[in-house]
């Protein structure tokens, strides 16, 4: 199935200092039949002047800034710009580097983000289809159905958008510590602690899920994450870690979730339950009392 609009659209790739991970994946959209952009009525252009859709990879390094801006300026309007991968969307792991001038949106009008590090071919084709739709909408053109490779089977352990189960979180913040992309932030609030995870910085590496002691963070296999640049900082995972009152002193604290105890103790442990209801201070006091009980002086 191909786009039946009157004229084909042309894509142009700009490497703004990427590690080439996204660029390697993008070659699939030309070299592998089921991911071929030709199914969307698109072709890759040799020069920016021929293109209507720009796919930009990399965080916009200082070294390449002038060349990238010149290439982009060479293209006539209207055009649609897609930030491909975490670097294009937010600079990813290179954020705050002395060698980076990005993120792209500082210098270029970005329309869409395709998250990932790199995005898988289905996600790229999905994002390019969104760019085609956007371009044709802007031109007031009819929108024929677009082919998509999105229906192919998703591998079982594919790492996609993270999910957060706040009720299972113990608030240890290990996830934020191991996240190289700096995608996770904790905010201390009066009523407890809140986690926010920005998808535009997430590489879907899975480290947070791997090190999370209670299974509160997991990675789904949802790879359809293309979104408008205007929503880039709203596309988040968010949750407030619940607090409960200490059964002794009534102070609010985060009790160990049952899943953490199950993992730590290898099963349910009824005698632990009263301790679980105590805040750290009361638990310490209780343990000291317990340890010194019966000690003769
Ligand atoms: S999967 Fe987790 S650790 Fe990896 S980048 Fe995303 S939030 Fe950070
Ligand atoms: S999500 Fe997991 S690793 Fe992160 S603070 Fe909660 S329990 Fe700790």
């Amino acid at each position: 199935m191909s786009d039946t609009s009157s004229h084909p659209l042309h894509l142009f790739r700009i490497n703004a200092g990427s590690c080439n991970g996204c660029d390697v994946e993008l070659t699939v959209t030309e070299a592998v039949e089921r991911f071929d952009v030709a199914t969307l009525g698109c072709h890759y252009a040799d020069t920016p002047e021929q293109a209507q859709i720009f796919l930009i990879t990399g965080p916009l390094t200082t070294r390449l800034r002038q060349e990238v801006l010149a290439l982009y300026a060479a293209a006539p309007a209207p055009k649609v710009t897609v930030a491909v991968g975490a670097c294009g969307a937010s600079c990813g792991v290179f954020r705050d580097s002395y060698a980076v001038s990005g993120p792209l949106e500082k210098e270029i009008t970005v329309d869409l983000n395709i998250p990932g590090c790199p995005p898988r071919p289905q996600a790229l084709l999905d994002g390019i289809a969104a760019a085609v739709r956007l371009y044709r909408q802007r031109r007031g053109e009819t929108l024929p159905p677009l082919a998509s490779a999105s229906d192919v089977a998703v591998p079982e352990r594919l790492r996609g958008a993270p999910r957060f189960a706040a009720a299972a979180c113990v608030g240890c913040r290990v996830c934020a510590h191991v996240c190289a992309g700096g995608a996770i932030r904790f905010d201390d609030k009066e009523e407890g602690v809140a986690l926010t995870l920005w998808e535009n910085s997430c590489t879907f590496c899975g480290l947070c899920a791997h090190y999370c002691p209670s299974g509160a963070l997991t990675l789904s296999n949802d790879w359809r994450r293309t979104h408008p640049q205007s929503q880039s900082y709203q596309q988040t995972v968010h949750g407030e870690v619940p607090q409960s009152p200490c059964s002794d002193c009534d102070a609010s604290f985060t009790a160990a979730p049952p899943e953490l105890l199950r993992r730590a103790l290898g099963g349910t442990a009824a005698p632990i339950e009263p301790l679980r209801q105590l805040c750290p201070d009361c638990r310490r006091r209780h343990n000291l009392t317990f340890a010194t009980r019966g000690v003769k002086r």
Side-chain angles (χ1 to χ4, degrees):
M1 185 168 46
S2 61
D3 183 352
T4 54
S5 285
S6 52
H7 58 93
L9 298 183
H10 288 90
L11 314 172
F12 191 75
R13 292 193 298 241
I14 300 179
N15 183 326
S18 94
C19 70
N20 289 332
C22 293
D23 306 274
V24 169
E25 292 298 321
L26 277 171
T27 61
V28 172
T29 63
E30 200 174 20
V32 177
E33 197 178 343
R34 69 178 190 277
F35 301 123
D36 196 332
V37 292
T39 61
L40 303 174
C42 297
H43 302 283
Y44 279 102
D46 294 326
T47 67
E49 291 85 353
Q50 301 167 326
Q52 296 82 38
I53 295 174
F54 285 76
L55 307 173
I56 306 184
T57 61
L60 189 62
T61 57
T62 307
R63 170 72 183 78
L64 286 174
R65 180 177 168 275
Q66 290 301 342
E67 287 89 336
V68 169
L69 296 184
L71 278 172
Y72 186 72
K79 50 195 172 190
V80 166
T81 307
V82 183
V84 177
C87 287
S90 71
C91 294
V93 297
F94 301 110
R95 192 172 50 232
D96 301 329
S97 163
Y98 72 94
V100 165
S101 297
L104 287 175
E105 63 178 340
K106 264 169 57 181
E107 310 266 8
I108 284 173
T109 303
V110 177
D111 296 294
L112 296 169
N113 286 176
I114 307 178
C117 182
R120 70 193 317 255
Q122 279 93 338
L124 290 171
L125 204 62
D126 208 50
I128 294 169
V132 170
R133 278 192 290 273
L134 184 60
Y135 181 83
R136 297 226 185 265
Q137 266 165 6
R138 284 181 179 171
R139 302 269 303 180
E141 297 176 359
T142 53
L143 294 171
L146 296 178
S148 170
S150 63
D151 296 332
V152 299
V154 179
E156 204 178 308
R157 283 181 291 135
L158 174 93
R159 296 193 300 262
R163 301 277 186 257
F164 179 55
C169 177
V170 71
C172 65
R173 308 187 191 205
V174 164
C175 49
H177 182 69
V178 299
C179 178
I184 299 175
R185 191 180 78 194
F186 283 90
D187 290 304
D188 290 307
K189 301 182 164 191
E190 210 164 291
E191 57 283 11
V193 68
L195 172 147
T196 307
L197 187 161
W198 280 267
E199 274 190 26
N200 70 357
S201 296
C202 178
T203 61
F204 306 147
C205 69
L207 278 182
C208 53
H210 180 77
Y211 285 105
C212 176
S214 65
L217 266 171
T218 50
L219 264 65
S220 69
N221 59 12
D222 178 7
W223 52 265
R224 286 183 188 80
R225 309 309 299 167
T226 294
H227 56 274
Q229 171 67 26
S230 57
Q231 293 171 12
S232 186
Y233 288 91
Q234 280 89 56
Q235 186 141 318
T236 58
V237 175
H238 183 79
E240 303 203 350
V241 182
Q243 296 220 320
S244 50
C246 171
S247 61
D248 195 356
C249 71
D250 218 29
S252 288
F253 78 109
T254 304
E259 178 60 15
L260 179 67
L261 295 181
R262 194 191 65 75
R263 289 180 179 208
L265 303 172
T268 51
I272 295 292
E273 190 53 28
L275 285 177
R276 202 174 79 81
Q277 310 288 341
L278 294 172
C279 72
D281 282 345
C282 290
R283 201 179 315 134
R284 220 172 287 125
R285 208 165 38 248
H286 172 97
N287 287 345
L288 275 175
T289 311
F290 182 78
T292 54
R293 191 185 300 157
V295 175
K296 295 193 175 125
R297 295 175 185 278

